[in-house]
Structures are given as C-alpha cells and as structure tokens.
Amino acid sequence: MKAIGVTQFLEKSFDVFDIGDEWLASFGEIEKNFKMSVTGDSGHGKTELVVKFIKELCLKNRIKADYFSYEQGHSKSLQDAILRNKMDEVKGKVMFMTGGTFDELFTRLKRRASAKIVVVDSQDYSELTTKQYKLLVKTFPRKSFIVTSWANKEKPANKAARDIEFMSDVKIYVNNYKAHPRSRYGGNKTFVIWDKKDSKPVQQ
C-alpha cells in the first residue's frame, strides 16, 4: 500500500500515446498501458478498427504490436484488412500470430524487447479467462492490451469478456462500421471506421 496526498497526486505526470486528432476526439489521451475492449457482431468492423488503431500507435510512437489472430488466423479476410490499411507502412513493427495457447502467448510477451501493444482477437475464440487476463495485466504492467469479443445486445456475449470489458479503460461497441467509445480518458466521440462515400470494405 502506498499513500500520497492531493498535492503529490496533482504533481504526478503520466505517459500518454501520441495519436491523431480523430482518435483523440474518440478515445482521449490514452496512457501507455491502456486496456481496451472492442465488442461487436461479426461483419461490423471490429478487425478494421483494431488494425487501423495499432497502425496509428506504431507509426506515431515507434513501438511494436503483436496481433494474436485466434479467430481469423492467417486468412484472406485479415490480409484484406492489412492491405486496405497499408500496413506495409509499419512493416517490422506489427506481427500477426495464428492464435496459439495462452502459455505460448505468455512466453512470447516475456521475451526481451517484446511488443508494447497486445491484441487478442477474439476473447470468445481464444477462451481467454478472467484469471488469465488479470495475470497478463499484473505481469506486464507497461504493456497495453486490446481484446475483441462477440456481442449480445451491445455487451460482450460471455461473462469473461464482460469482466474484461469492466476492467478496461476504453470500452468500444462497434456497429455498422462505427465505433461507439466509453473512455476514462475523455473524448467519446463516435469514430467512423468506414465512410459510406468510400467503397465498402470486405466483411470481417
């Protein structure tokens, strides 16, 4: 236990990520160990949103991201999202894994100079438990975690995913290629993942 007074607390500074104005308006000034839950039905843009966002983080902050693709694996649909978002611009900074066991994920994150951003897509497919998630957050306090999940009436479909959402700093419901955030960091403006004036991306 550590106690500090009001003056000390107000004098503390916190590291935040550099992100563009459109992200700032939706997610606020995100700390460098944020936790994010992204929930939505299939085909509404969860993957598209996450791919866009990790590109923004890696490009502007010179960090690495690991994307654990439990649900889609190394699929054409994920490849299409990578192509649409010109992820070659962050070549060498983002790695896409075909899921694996929790122990394999944990071992990878323990490696020296491992990724700063960790994506688990999805909680439902990986069957990530509440206990496992807490272990990740406790063991890697300087990393940021993004966990996607299936939706049931705008909320995560199962208890573990709802627990993870509850523990997240940024909670996002994705519907019809729009992200509706609830963020502890401020912002909270709806983020348009796909503009209808553009050609529609492939369903994911």
Side-chain angles (χ1 to χ4, degrees):
M1 180 183 293
K2 182 179 180 181
I4 62 173
V6 173
T7 301
Q8 288 174 293
F9 208 124
L10 294 177
E11 288 175 348
K12 283 179 67 68
S13 60
F14 298 91
D15 290 333
V16 297
F17 280 118
D18 179 17
I19 54 176
D21 290 344
E22 71 277 20
W23 298 100
L24 196 63
S26 295
F27 302 157
E29 291 188 306
I30 294 182
E31 285 188 69
K32 289 189 175 180
N33 63 342
F34 73 87
K35 315 298 179 292
M36 178 181 287
S37 167
V38 182
T39 302
D41 291 323
S42 178
H44 281 255
K46 296 191 303 294
T47 298
E48 195 79 17
L49 173 70
V50 174
V51 169
K52 282 179 181 291
F53 189 48
I54 62 172
K55 178 187 176 182
E56 175 77 4
L57 290 171
C58 292
L59 200 58
K60 291 204 169 180
N61 298 273
R62 297 183 179 181
I63 56 174
K64 295 180 180 179
D66 276 354
Y67 193 114
F68 292 88
S69 180
Y70 289 91
E71 192 164 335
Q72 296 187 61
H74 289 166
S75 62
K76 186 179 185 304
S77 58
L78 183 55
Q79 183 187 65
D80 289 340
I82 292 168
L83 288 170
R84 279 193 301 272
N85 290 286
K86 300 178 181 178
M87 293 297 283
D88 58 315
E89 295 178 5
V90 286
K91 184 171 56 177
K93 295 180 180 178
V94 182
M95 296 296 294
F96 293 88
M97 267 65 64
T98 55
T101 66
F102 176 78
D103 287 343
E104 288 172 327
L105 182 155
F106 196 86
T107 298
R108 181 174 176 85
L109 298 187
K110 287 180 71 177
R111 289 166 50 179
R112 186 177 179 181
S114 60
K116 174 73 175 176
I117 309 294
V118 182
V119 178
V120 177
D121 185 10
S122 64
Q123 181 281 328
D124 307 77
Y125 213 90
S126 67
E127 298 184 338
L128 181 69
T129 67
T130 303
K131 184 176 180 180
Q132 288 172 334
Y133 180 76
K134 286 181 177 179
L135 179 61
L136 288 175
V137 171
K138 182 179 180 180
T139 308
F140 308 107
R142 295 184 179 180
K143 295 187 185 297
S144 296
F145 292 90
I146 301 173
V147 181
T148 72
S149 62
W150 304 343
N152 179 16
K153 296 180 181 179
E154 301 187 12
K155 296 293 291 181
N158 68 71
K159 185 180 184 304
R162 289 193 294 273
D163 289 343
I164 291 170
E165 183 194 53
F166 186 82
M167 291 183 278
S168 295
D169 305 300
V170 184
K171 306 165 176 62
I172 301 172
Y173 173 61
V174 175
N175 182 54
N176 197 26
Y177 288 95
K178 290 183 180 179
H180 306 277
R182 289 174 289 137
S183 174
R184 292 175 180 169
Y185 304 119
N188 294 310
K189 180 181 177 181
T190 296
F191 183 87
V192 179
I193 304 167
W194 162 67
D195 192 328
K196 291 185 178 181
K197 291 180 289 186
D198 302 326
S199 58
K200 188 172 183 178
V202 177
Q203 292 292 305
Q204 52 196 277

